[in-house]
Amino acid sequence: GSQYLIDEILVAFKKEINPEDAQKVIRAAGCIVKDTPLDLGNTIYTLDIPDDKRVEEMLDVFRNDPGVAYAEPNGIASINVE
């Protein structure tokens, strides 16, 4: 099954987008940065989405932004850490 967290998405901004601009886009969408962004070539943000929005809606918002490399649901890893 495709399990993912219903209130989190992963958004990667293109290299040329500076952190301030990324934060503006994130705030404009009503999202909150959850963890320290990961820099894996693109800067990847884990975002909490607003309670009244669905993951699919928020992915569309970010995917339509020219500065976004990609946006995905935050998948639940099936590894149990004790």
Side-chain angles (χ1 to χ4, degrees):
S2 60
Q3 282 194 308
Y4 57 86
L5 300 174
I6 58 168
D7 60 349
E8 278 183 21
I9 60 174
L10 300 175
V11 176
F13 285 86
K14 294 176 181 167
K15 290 186 190 65
E16 61 269 20
I17 304 301
N18 69 45
E20 291 77 27
D21 289 341
Q23 294 281 356
K24 280 184 201 144
V25 171
I26 291 165
R27 273 199 302 273
C31 294
I32 297 164
V33 177
K34 199 156 180 207
D35 297 313
T36 308
L38 289 174
D39 191 350
L40 303 174
N42 300 60
T43 307
I44 302 168
Y45 293 83
T46 303
L47 304 181
D48 260 339
I49 66 171
D51 292 339
D52 61 342
K53 299 285 188 204
R54 295 193 344 271
V55 164
E56 291 77 13
E57 283 179 81
M58 297 312 297
L59 293 177
D60 284 343
V61 167
F62 285 104
R63 285 172 178 160
N64 289 326
D65 189 283
V68 172
Y70 62 86
E72 300 294 336
N74 192 5
I76 300 170
S78 58
I79 299 167
N80 291 324
V81 180
E82 294 299 315

